[in-house]
């Protein structure tokens, strides 16, 4: 027998140079294959191998999309578009339809990473380094393995828990087949793995802090894992499945399983909070405008917020970066990119943000004199009395600072440009011309020409034109995305080099508050403070009580577009409820020329050619590939 111990070092060099951006590994010469002992016996080779493990981790970052991880060829599709956060500009087909089969699978990649971790664990005792370095590397390996298993468990449920290198024997292939553990056992293993990693890991990494696993990074991840598993146990019955995998508990838990998982999340969160190592960035702004600027800066460059950024995925190589600026910049500031503005925040997401004058409750945009019209998406109705606004940004001015930091609204200023989002005109005689582009030459009144889309030139507006070659550039919901986008856009693909905060302190605070309210465990006062500290950072001065509704809403608005919502909807079994033949809506800013001077009204309507978006409950678990060969019990498929 022999250990599976060879790696393709050429691939490692390519992927690791992308991920690490380290200049000191450039002297390594790629070869077809290299024994792992040779790689790990050299300091540069060891650094390269570790960097490759980090690079393979299933971090749901800028490059996490429909095709899977590390893929930029996705037409601007993003995981937010498979939740209640946003929809793709071209919503037809799977471009905005929640579907398990349009989601990235991870089985082979996950177990490939686990295998590579085992090779490192096998080699560590033989390395000529200090015992302390051996401990640190062991801790990193255990952390990465736990992260890989978590990525798998979220998608497949109970897993084959392979805990050491497997030996290949052509005469005994059956020994390589490891049966699935129950879903509960799988999550328990991941939590134990993170505790074991914590014991070995250092307190900090100096200059590499935040980019490598440390004790608090491992505990922060445990905070996330425990909350996920606790919610899954508590809410699994809301979308019950049937079949052999369910009967054997390979998928599925019961509410009584939840308490231990919530307790683990609470304990891990408290460890991070009590460490005193982290805090919220810019926690006490004096105005909402200051809070908005703080949020914008933090997500443009997380490195200015080391007190908040617990774990970062780096993007620092032009040509090997991400495409957020390329795909998501509004059309007017696209910098030459051919298909910008692809991320359209949903109307109900924008409505969820609070107003400072009415804290503690969602604040849907009021469009008419009848407040109940917030549920009317039947388009323009001349019998209604619409509210008029001097500027299209006026209805949003009292909204949560985070809305302005995370989204582009009609009339927002971005990169020094006023973003024009307009869906049409009310003609001087009261006739609506909405989403038609008619009259194409514009209307001149008192020497001023007014255009259906707010400007004559397509480069000077960002919505709603859907009748021309520029249709795919324009928002269809009335809103566009701002979060993470830089002050300068780029027309070059793979050029984004801003870093991604995978775990940040605000998430740990939210995990803690939610686990406390969901379980009845933990310190209610501390959880209430955690919730309101986050709100204070957004310039909300008055505290709100610790309730499930307040926590759930706060998590949605604080973590918007951070690829957390998909997991939140899955663990609380919300996907199939939300995507119950749900239609997408639009908020249409319209310039009313029947009043003098012209003013803006807002019209709620369905998306043009709206698509129904279902979510069958079997989509909560992905089908396991290769069961004919690996002999595993398949997940429910119907």
């Amino acid at each position: 027998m022999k250990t599976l111990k060879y790696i393709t070092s050429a691939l490692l060099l390519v992927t690791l140079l992308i991920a690490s951006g380290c200049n000191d590994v450039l002297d390594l010469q790629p070869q077809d294959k290299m024994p792992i002992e040779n790689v790990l016996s050299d300091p540069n080779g060891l650094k390269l191998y570790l960097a490759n493990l980090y690079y393979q981790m299933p971090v749901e970052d800028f490059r996490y999309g429909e095709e899977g991880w590390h893929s930029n060829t996705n037409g601007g599709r993003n995981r937010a578009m498979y939740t209640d956060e946003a929809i793709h500009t071209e919503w037809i087909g799977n471009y905005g339809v929640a579907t398990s089969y349009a989601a990235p699978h991870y089985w082979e990649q996950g177990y490939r990473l686990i295998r590579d971790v085992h090779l490192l664990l096998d080699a560590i005792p033989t390395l000529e380094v200090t015992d302390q370095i051996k401990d640190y590397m062991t801790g990193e390996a255990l952390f990465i393995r736990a992260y890989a298993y978590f990525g798998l468990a979220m998608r497949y449920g109970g897993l084959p828990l392979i805990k050491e290198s497997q030996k290949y024997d052509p005469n005994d292939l059956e020994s390589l087949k490891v049966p699935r553990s129950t879903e509960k056992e799988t999550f328990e293993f991941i939590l134990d793995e993170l505790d074991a990693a914590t014991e070995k890991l250092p307190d900090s990494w100096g200059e590499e802090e935040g980019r490598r696993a440390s004790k608090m990074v491992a505990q922060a991840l445990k905070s996330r894992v425990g909350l996920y598993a606790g919610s899954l146990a508590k809410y699994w019955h809301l979308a019950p499945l049937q079949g052999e995998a369910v009967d054997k508990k390979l998928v599925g838990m019961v509410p009584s399983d939840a308490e231990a998982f919530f307790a683990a999340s609470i304990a891990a969160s408290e460890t991070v909070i009590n460490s005193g190592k982290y805090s919220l960035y810019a926690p006490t702004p004096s105005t909402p405008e200051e809070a908005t600027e703080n949020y914008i800066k933090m997500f443009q460059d997380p490195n200015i917020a080391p007190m908040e950024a617990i774990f970062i995925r780096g993007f620092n190589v032009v040509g090997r970066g991400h495409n957020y600026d390329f795909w998501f910049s509004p059309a007017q500031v696209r910098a030459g990119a051919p298909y910008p503005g692809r991320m359209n925040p949903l109307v109900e997401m924008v409505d969820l943000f609070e107003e400072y004058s009415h804290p503690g409750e969602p604040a849907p945009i009021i469009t008419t004199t009848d407040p109940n019209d917030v549920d009317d998406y039947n388009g323009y109705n001349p019998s209604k009395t619409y509210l008029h606004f001097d500027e299209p940004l006026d209805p949003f001015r009292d909204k949560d600072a985070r809305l302005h930091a995370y989204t582009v609204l009609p009339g927002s200023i971005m990169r020094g440009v006023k973003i024009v989002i307009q869906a049409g005109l009310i003609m001087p005689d009261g006739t609506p011309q909405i989403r038609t582009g008619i009259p194409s030459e514009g209307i001149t009144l008192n020497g001023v020409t007014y255009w259906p889309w707010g400007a004559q030139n397509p480069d000077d507006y960002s919505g709603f034109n859907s009748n021309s070659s520029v249709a795919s550039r324009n928002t269809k919901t009335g809103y566009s995305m701002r979060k993470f986008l830089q002050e300068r856009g780029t027309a070059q693909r793979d050029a984004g080099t801003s870093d991604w905060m995978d775990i940040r302190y605000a998430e740990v605070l939210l995990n803690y508050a939610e686990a406390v309210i969901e379980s009845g465990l933990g310190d209610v006062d501390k959880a209430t403070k955690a919730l309101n500290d986050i709100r204070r950072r957004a310039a909300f001065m008055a505290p709100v009580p610790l309730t499930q509704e307040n926590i759930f809403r706060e998590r949605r608005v604080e973590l918007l577009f951070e690829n957390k919502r998909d997991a939140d909807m899955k663990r609380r079994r919300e996907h199939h409820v939300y995507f119950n033949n749900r239609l997408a809506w639009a908020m249409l800013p319209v310039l009313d020329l029947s009043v003098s001077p012209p003013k803006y009204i807002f019209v709620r309507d369905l998306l043009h050619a709206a698509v129904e978006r279902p979510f069958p409950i079997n989509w909560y678990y992905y089908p396991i590939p290769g069961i004919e060969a690996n002999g595993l019990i398949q997940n429910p498929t119907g």
Side-chain angles (χ1 to χ4, degrees):
M1 296 189 295
K2 59 182 180 180
T3 303
L4 303 176
K5 58 190 296 186
Y6 284 87
I7 60 174
T8 305
S9 59
L11 174 62
L12 291 181
L13 282 168
V14 172
T15 57
L16 268 304
L17 290 175
I18 293 171
S20 68
C22 298
N23 295 324
D24 58 356
V25 299
L26 294 175
D27 294 333
L28 291 176
Q29 299 299 315
Q31 303 173 36
D32 181 51
K33 288 187 177 180
M34 182 184 295
I36 192 170
E37 292 88 346
N38 293 359
V39 175
L40 298 180
S41 63
D42 179 84
N44 283 336
L46 178 60
K47 187 174 184 179
L48 181 64
Y49 193 83
L50 270 171
N52 183 55
L53 297 182
Y54 278 103
Y55 179 73
Q56 291 184 66
M57 287 171 54
V59 176
E60 297 178 12
D61 54 33
F62 294 116
R63 299 181 70 185
Y64 172 59
E66 182 172 322
E67 282 76 15
W69 282 268
H70 313 140
S71 173
N72 281 345
T73 59
N74 62 359
R77 292 186 290 279
N78 176 278
R79 293 314 299 167
M81 299 169 189
Y82 299 86
T83 72
D84 52 11
E85 292 185 333
I87 196 169
H88 195 283
T89 301
E90 296 176 336
W91 56 89
I92 299 170
N94 285 336
Y95 277 43
V97 179
T99 165
S100 171
Y101 300 101
H105 292 263
Y106 185 61
W107 189 267
E108 292 183 4
Q109 299 97 313
Y111 279 103
R112 185 181 302 118
L113 173 55
I114 291 165
R115 177 204 63 193
D116 290 348
V117 167
H118 291 157
L119 296 178
L120 176 62
L121 289 171
D122 290 343
I124 287 173
T126 69
L127 299 179
E128 295 182 1
V129 295
T130 65
D131 288 342
Q132 184 182 63
I133 293 177
K134 289 180 181 180
D135 280 346
Y136 289 173
M137 284 192 296
T138 299
E140 287 184 278
L142 295 177
F143 170 81
I144 294 169
R145 186 168 69 177
Y147 205 118
Y149 272 121
F150 183 44
L152 287 163
M154 285 195 298
R155 290 156 180 82
Y156 302 99
L159 302 170
L161 297 176
I162 302 173
K163 303 177 184 180
E164 59 186 14
S165 293
Q166 293 181 297
K167 305 296 183 178
Y168 172 71
D169 182 351
N171 299 315
D172 185 17
L173 297 179
E174 289 300 313
S175 64
L176 298 177
K177 297 180 180 180
V178 178
R180 296 174 67 181
S181 295
T182 67
E183 190 164 32
K184 179 182 178 182
E185 291 168 344
T186 297
F187 279 106
E188 289 173 338
F189 169 75
I190 296 168
L191 295 173
D192 290 343
E193 188 92 327
L194 289 169
D195 282 339
T198 301
E199 292 182 7
K200 297 287 187 180
L201 286 165
D203 291 324
S204 66
W205 285 103
E207 292 183 0
E208 295 180 295
E209 185 70 8
R211 295 171 188 269
R212 298 178 71 173
S214 66
K215 291 184 184 297
M216 291 304 103
V217 172
Q219 288 299 298
L221 180 59
K222 183 181 176 184
S223 165
R224 179 189 292 177
V225 174
L227 179 64
Y228 188 98
S231 299
L232 194 62
K234 184 171 183 176
Y235 295 111
W236 195 91
H237 68 283
L238 297 181
L241 296 165
Q242 296 180 337
E244 185 179 5
V246 178
D247 295 340
K248 295 186 175 180
K249 303 293 185 182
L250 306 181
V251 296
M253 289 188 278
V254 295
S256 60
D257 295 331
E259 182 174 305
F261 289 123
F262 284 133
S265 178
I266 289 169
S269 299
E270 287 183 335
T271 297
V272 176
I273 294 169
N274 295 337
S275 72
K277 185 174 182 178
Y278 299 103
S279 61
L280 294 173
Y281 170 70
T284 56
S286 58
T287 64
E289 292 76 18
E290 181 183 344
T292 293
E293 287 304 311
N294 291 337
Y295 275 102
I296 289 174
K297 291 175 183 177
M298 179 172 68
F299 288 105
Q300 287 179 339
D301 182 12
N303 299 289
I304 70 170
M307 71 290 294
E308 176 146 1
I310 296 177
F311 191 55
I312 291 176
R313 163 65 61 85
F315 289 86
N316 60 350
V317 180
V318 174
R320 300 291 184 180
H322 59 78
N323 278 322
Y324 263 50
D325 290 285
F326 178 85
W327 287 121
F328 300 145
S329 296
Q332 290 169 255
V333 291
R334 61 193 177 95
Y339 305 110
R342 312 237 108 183
M343 179 93 88
N344 294 186
L346 289 170
V347 170
E348 62 262 42
M349 188 65 236
V350 173
D351 283 348
L352 190 68
F353 283 83
E354 301 168 36
E355 290 178 338
Y356 290 99
S357 56
H358 298 89
E361 60 187 55
I365 299 301
I366 304 299
T367 61
T368 76
T369 54
D370 182 358
N372 294 324
D373 284 344
V374 295
D375 297 319
D376 184 353
Y377 288 92
N378 293 308
Y380 179 75
N381 185 342
S383 68
K384 294 181 180 294
T385 303
Y386 287 89
L387 301 179
H388 286 81
F389 303 93
D390 293 331
E391 295 291 336
L393 192 58
D394 287 349
F396 307 94
R397 294 194 188 278
D398 192 40
K399 280 273 203 173
D400 189 331
R402 289 167 291 190
L403 177 65
H404 298 271
Y406 294 175
T407 68
V408 174
L409 306 164
S412 291
I413 303 297
M414 184 175 182
R415 299 174 187 160
V417 175
K418 183 178 181 179
I419 304 301
V420 177
I421 299 174
Q422 184 175 310
L425 302 168
I426 302 297
M427 305 301 284
D429 63 0
T431 303
Q433 298 287 356
I434 299 175
R435 290 201 292 200
T436 65
I438 300 172
S440 60
E441 299 302 320
I443 287 291
T444 301
L445 297 175
N446 301 320
V448 179
T449 301
Y450 300 97
W451 303 94
W453 314 122
Q456 180 181 19
N457 189 324
D459 286 335
D460 295 330
Y461 57 78
S462 301
F464 265 78
N465 191 341
S466 59
N467 300 316
S468 76
S469 60
V470 300
S472 63
R473 300 183 197 170
N474 294 168
T475 175
K476 302 301 188 298
T477 65
Y479 309 117
S480 196
M481 179 187 176
R482 183 194 290 270
K483 196 172 189 177
F484 311 111
L485 303 187
Q486 299 300 301
E487 284 304 308
R488 297 184 63 183
T490 176
Q492 179 184 347
R493 292 197 186 208
D494 307 333
T497 57
S498 51
D499 292 339
W500 175 269
M501 277 190 289
D502 177 44
I503 308 175
R504 60 186 180 99
Y505 187 62
E507 183 199 345
V508 174
L509 295 180
L510 289 166
N511 293 347
Y512 183 73
E514 184 174 344
V516 168
I517 201 69
E518 289 284 69
S519 67
L521 305 172
D523 187 325
V524 172
D525 290 339
K526 182 181 292 185
T528 303
K529 182 179 186 300
L531 174 67
N532 284 293
D533 283 351
I534 295 172
R535 293 175 56 80
R536 176 64 184 89
R537 195 255 295 272
F540 284 100
M541 304 301 179
V544 296
L546 188 75
T547 65
Q548 187 186 71
E549 180 182 7
N550 285 341
I551 294 168
F552 285 6
R553 182 178 62 254
E554 193 66 26
R555 186 177 184 92
R556 288 182 65 186
V557 300
E558 174 71 19
L559 302 180
L560 180 64
F561 302 144
E562 294 183 44
N563 293 338
K564 304 295 190 292
R565 182 61 180 159
D566 191 37
D568 289 347
M569 294 180 77
K570 180 178 288 187
R571 64 185 171 87
R572 293 199 294 254
R573 290 303 190 252
E574 296 173 351
H575 266 303
H576 72 289
V577 178
Y578 179 80
F579 288 109
N580 184 12
N581 294 319
R582 193 177 189 93
L583 299 174
W585 301 319
M587 180 70 80
L588 309 180
V590 176
L591 185 61
D592 187 355
L593 302 180
S594 70
V595 299
S596 182
K599 294 181 181 289
Y600 292 91
I601 65 172
F602 285 80
V603 178
R604 292 177 180 265
D605 202 354
L606 287 175
L607 272 174
H608 184 62
V611 176
E612 295 183 348
R613 299 181 290 170
F615 192 98
I617 61 174
N618 62 291
W619 285 0
Y620 281 114
Y621 294 97
Y622 297 169
I624 295 174
I627 59 171
E628 297 82 3
N630 59 36
L632 296 176
I633 297 171
Q634 183 59 280
N635 282 330
T637 57

